[in-house]
Amino acid sequence: MIFVKLVWALKGVDPSDTRYQVTDYFECDGTKIPIQSLNDDYCDCLDGTDEPGTSACQNGTFYCLNKGHIGQTISSSRVNDGICDPECCDGSDELHCPNVCDQVHKKYQREQDQKNLVLRKGGQAKRKLIEQANNQRTVKVKELEARIEKLSQKEKRAEEEKTKAEQLEQQHKQLKEEEHQKQCPAKFTSLQQEYESLMETTRDLESRLKTVYDALADLESTEKDSIPYLKTLYADNRQFVEELEISDADPTLLEPFEPAENPCEGSLWQCFKHASTLFITRAVESNSLLQLLSPLSEKSEPVDPQKARDRLYEIQEKKRKVQQELDDLSKQDKIDFGPEMEWDALYHKCFEFDTTEYVYELCLFGEAKQKAKSGGNVGLGTFTRWGDRKNQKSYHKMMYENGLQCWNGPQRSVEVEFICGIETRIISQGEPNVCEYTMKVETPAACPTWREDKSEL
């Protein structure tokens, strides 16, 4: 009778491993050992393959079948060490560990369902990013060009309005100057003529007053003889006074006056002289220069040139910003946005991650910063390339380099790792080495592209 050992059922052996599908001996290190030497708790082979189910060989491996879940491999050194290893949910690595594969598999399935949901939704979101990359750039360029054209037209009109306003302002100044030059001499000439007329009247009155004064002086000697003469003098001057009262002269000229010191308490000559002086003064005041020049103030003011200049500046600023956007779009043509342009829509989009002391900001294809909550920013670097610190190119990693120099250390830098996610957000940050930072970011751009003709990714 021939004895055949079913080695594929050996503890700690993966059923798919064909090396153990033998009936008489097992080969290792170029030598043959009897199959009875397998799992005998003695290490016969240098590579440890003869003891897959014991811990005799420190460099061996143990396979946990995990029926009802997923088989896994652990180091043989962890077999029979008194610890129920989570990789072996069937408890096969120890003598007294329970089989919990049913519970583990249910949890795993829930996690897989969630992962598949993320992959599906993230993949669909990535598709939208790709569509945006194919359509948005062209649409955006046309939109910006149209805005620049409209702003250019507005700028031209504003420039014309500004020029017109400045011209009107200059014309107004010239007109004002000319009117001053024309009107002032004419008004002063008119006043001078009026003054001379008044002086002529004054001189006439003075002459008449002198006649009265002389007559009064004669009263002392010939009082009775002088009465007929005074009547004649009054009759001769009455017509002049009546003409003055009904003339167009300012009525205030004939109003009574009360000087601080009454000159009429003295001689009649002083009284009349004061009256004539007051008459001339009131005449000049009643035709003041402000009234004579008032027509100039009635001219309409031109449009304010400063408002026209401000309006032009505002339009030019808007045009400059739109032109800057257009220039940035042109620069983007030289950037590697991935094999399907999936990263294009995330250009210069910024995201933050909050920690106890700092807020970390990451602008894709831009800058990375460390913002202290107490105030102040530190530049961690700017985007330089796809890949990791070892220069292994990958569209799932980015390098931000040439940040602020560390004290007695290197320039700061950040290695960013991207994983699939439904939305773009920073999920972790670290500093494994001095001034060498890491960030992990979830984003649809890192997901496999979702295809509508497939039910699963």
Side-chain angles (χ1 to χ4, degrees), residues 198 201 205 238-251 253-254 279:
L198 290 171
T201 303
L205 290 173
R238 181 177 181 179
Q239 184 179 359
F240 171 79
V241 174
E242 290 175 351
E243 289 176 355
L244 184 63
E245 288 177 348
I246 64 174
S247 68
D248 293 333
D250 189 334
L253 297 177
L254 301 177
F279 181 87

Side-chain angles (χ1 to χ4, degrees), residues 86-143:
E87 293 88 346
C88 297
C89 61
D90 59 359
S92 58
D93 60 317
E94 304 294 329
L95 295 176
H96 305 291
C97 287
N99 187 330
V100 293
C101 284
D102 185 51
Q103 298 94 303
V104 170
H105 184 72
K106 288 179 180 178
K107 180 182 178 181
Y108 169 79
Q109 193 60 53
R110 287 193 299 270
E111 292 173 350
Q112 284 300 112
D113 291 343
Q114 180 62 31
K115 182 179 179 181
N116 289 334
L117 178 65
V118 171
L119 288 173
R120 178 170 60 82
K121 290 189 174 182
Q124 291 172 341
K126 179 181 179 180
R127 235 179 105 180
K128 291 181 180 179
L129 291 177
I130 296 171
E131 290 172 357
Q132 289 177 17
N134 293 333
N135 302 323
Q136 190 174 22
R137 182 81 63 86
T138 303
V139 172
K140 188 68 174 176
V141 168
K142 289 182 178 179
E143 176 190 335

Side-chain angles (χ1 to χ4, degrees), residues 137 324 326-335 347:
R137 182 81 63 86
Q324 183 63 49
L326 189 59
D327 293 341
D328 288 343
L329 282 177
S330 299
K331 292 178 182 178
Q332 292 178 36
D333 292 335
K334 301 178 181 179
I335 299 176
Y347 177 74

